[in-house]
Amino acid sequence: MTEPNPQPGTPARTLPDPAAPAPAGPGDRPPPARFAYDAHTWKEIAHLLTNLPAALVGFVYTVTVLSVGVGLTVTVIGLPLLALGLLGARQLGRLERARARAMLGVRVEEPSPLPWRGSGGFWPGLWQGVKDPVGWRTFLFTLIRLPWGILTFVIALTGLFVLWPVLAFVVRALADVDRALVRGLLSPSDELERRIAELESDRGVVVDAAAADLRRIERDLHDGAQARLVNLAMGLGLAKEKLLEDPDAAASMVEEAHGEVKLALQELRDLARGIHPAVLTDRGLDAALSSVASRCTVPVQVTVDLAERPAPAIEGIAYFTVSELLQNVSKHSRARTAAVEVWRSENRLFLQVSDDGRGGASLDGGTGMRGLADRLGAVDGLFVVDSPEGGPTTVTAELPWRERSGTPAGNAPGKGASARARR
């Protein structure tokens, strides 16, 4: 999460996400082993004694799945059985992480679930399940744990009778090996798996957003400009029939048709502006956002502080984000003034839209902000809403900065460029 930053030119600070699992740190380390046994020592002894039954269950499961699944890969049911076995191995890994968390104090993040929805069908999903690295690492963990579980069970059980004075130190050494195994084989592999799952989900959001935009354009064309052009054709046909027998009525019909042409052209211009405005392509964010602000129902101060223009895709997302937010200001905020600030900090583009309205805006408020957050998330962006009841409202969006290739000379706005727009 990124804290809204009212000062352009400075990077936003990253805030901790309360929903994220706590990373492994000094709190994971147990207190030093002592001759006098404490609760941590007894938990470690219990963990070592339960290693054997847990390892037996995991080993039998792994050997059964591998022998049956791999042996039947020459048939139709081999790969599905192997994929199901790997999915079950994930559950074994979850149980082992829970046992290590309860008895060893090891906090390991849960791996990302398999993105079945974005797999693209049965066979791609099946192949994704078969090559699941989390399941295969769990299989390796269960195979290693059987001889290790036998060893730790024998040492812990024997030590309770013959190694009593130094058992705490022996148990700590064995438990540290268990901690290393859990962290090494049952934790997510770096950030790669989580990042892959996020990208799969983001791709689905982008596809859905593109499909929704196409449906909107089709609906606007069908219900707007197309209907007016049909009326125009009918009116001109009637005028053509009356041209000789009633010139005055024909002239009136032509006049009405002329009005229909003007309205159709205006609707086509509005539709083209909604797809990608020409002013954004020709003059950049400063002029495009000033044009949007001029159509807002409240006075808007626009400040764009960019030494160069970003890539067209990022520029387009920034434009439509600000446009949607200003529409929300006009429709819902009851504000008297608003402000738009755009600036770059290192490799990030920041947008901030604020108003002095009634506040209470949220991602679940039905104002389209959830869709904006999803679209920004699909391109590795962030979207933060700060809107207490009674106002003011500040919405901060963050996008990755991508360099613009082939920018014509004179198209980049000067640094510190700003504009004040009022309706």
Side-chain angles (χ1 to χ4, degrees):
M1 182 181 294
T2 305
E3 180 182 13
N5 191 342
Q7 300 297 328
T10 59
R13 289 184 294 145
T14 301
L15 301 179
D17 186 355
D28 288 348
R29 301 191 185 99
R34 298 181 302 170
F35 288 101
Y37 292 3
D38 55 14
H40 288 279
T41 301
W42 285 112
K43 286 182 179 180
E44 290 172 345
I45 292 173
H47 185 273
L48 296 177
L49 290 175
T50 56
N51 270 350
L52 180 57
L56 282 172
V57 172
F59 183 83
V60 171
Y61 178 84
T62 297
V63 171
T64 303
V65 169
L66 290 179
S67 59
V68 175
V70 175
L72 292 177
T73 51
V74 295
T75 67
V76 179
I77 63 173
L79 288 180
L81 284 177
L82 189 57
L84 287 175
L86 288 165
L87 190 60
R90 278 178 165 257
Q91 305 310 312
L92 284 179
R94 183 186 297 273
L95 293 176
E96 284 295 330
R97 283 188 292 271
R99 193 166 70 94
R101 185 164 51 248
M103 295 183 177
L104 299 180
V106 177
R107 291 175 291 175
V108 177
E109 292 186 9
E110 294 293 329
S112 302
L114 288 172
W116 298 108
R117 293 180 59 186
S119 59
F122 174 76
W123 291 110
L126 177 63
W127 180 243
Q128 195 170 52
V130 169
K131 64 179 184 178
D132 177 23
V134 176
W136 285 109
R137 287 205 312 272
T138 306
F139 277 167
L140 178 60
F141 177 83
T142 58
L143 294 176
I144 293 175
R145 281 298 294 273
L146 180 59
W148 177 251
I150 296 173
L151 178 65
T152 57
F153 178 83
V154 171
I155 293 177
L157 185 60
T158 306
L160 287 173
F161 300 98
V162 299
L163 297 176
W164 188 263
V166 294
L167 181 60
F169 300 94
V170 175
V171 165
R172 177 57 49 82
L174 297 175
D176 285 341
V177 176
D178 269 334
R179 292 185 178 95
L181 286 173
V182 171
R183 290 195 181 105
L185 294 176
L186 297 183
S187 61
S189 56
D190 302 325
E191 291 298 320
L192 181 59
E193 293 166 11
R194 193 174 300 277
R195 184 61 178 156
I196 289 174
E198 290 175 356
L199 291 176
E200 291 282 355
S201 175
D202 292 344
R203 183 179 64 179
V205 171
V206 171
V207 171
D208 293 341
D213 287 341
L214 288 176
R215 288 193 299 269
R216 176 183 59 82
I217 294 170
E218 181 182 7
R219 184 179 63 252
D220 292 343
L221 284 173
H222 183 271
D223 298 340
Q226 180 179 341
R228 291 194 180 279
L229 291 175
V230 170
N231 290 334
L232 172 63
M234 294 175 61
L236 289 176
L238 292 174
K240 181 180 178 181
E241 293 177 358
K242 291 182 176 291
L243 184 61
L244 296 179
E245 59 186 44
D246 191 353
D248 293 337
S252 177
M253 291 181 179
V254 170
E255 183 66 24
E256 291 180 3
H258 185 249
E260 289 289 333
V261 169
K262 289 183 177 180
L263 291 176
L265 288 175
Q266 182 61 42
E267 290 183 356
L268 288 174
R269 290 193 191 99
D270 293 340
L271 182 60
R273 186 184 295 116
I275 298 172
H276 196 85
V279 66
L280 178 63
T281 303
D282 298 337
R283 300 174 57 189
L285 276 175
D286 189 9
L289 295 183
S290 297
S291 175
V292 171
S294 67
R295 298 193 295 272
C296 189
T297 58
V298 301
V300 181
Q301 172 75 34
V302 179
T303 303
V304 179
D305 186 6
L306 296 176
E308 57 182 332
R309 294 175 62 178
I314 299 300
E315 196 173 55
I317 294 174
Y319 169 82
F320 288 111
T321 299
V322 174
S323 178
E324 181 71 22
L325 291 174
L326 288 181
Q327 287 185 29
N328 287 339
V329 171
S330 297
K331 295 177 181 178
H332 308 291
S333 70
R334 300 179 186 174
R336 290 173 296 179
T337 60
V340 176
E341 296 181 14
V342 182
W343 72 96
R344 177 186 178 182
S345 178
E346 297 179 353
N347 62 341
R348 307 293 285 182
L349 176 66
F350 291 89
L351 318 169
Q352 194 169 79
V353 178
S354 57
D355 66 74
D356 57 358
R358 61 179 180 175
S362 69
L363 295 180
D364 301 322
T367 56
M369 289 192 178
R370 169 56 62 186
L372 289 177
D374 290 341
R375 291 195 180 195
L376 265 67
V379 294
D380 200 21
L382 293 175
F383 190 81
V384 181
V385 180
D386 180 18
S387 181
E389 290 294 337
T393 296
T394 301
V395 180
T396 303
E398 181 181 339
L399 289 165
W401 180 274
R402 295 176 187 166
E403 297 296 335
R404 190 182 189 91
S405 59
T407 303
N411 276 5
K415 186 171 183 176
S418 63
R420 182 174 181 84
R422 292 181 183 271
R423 185 178 181 186

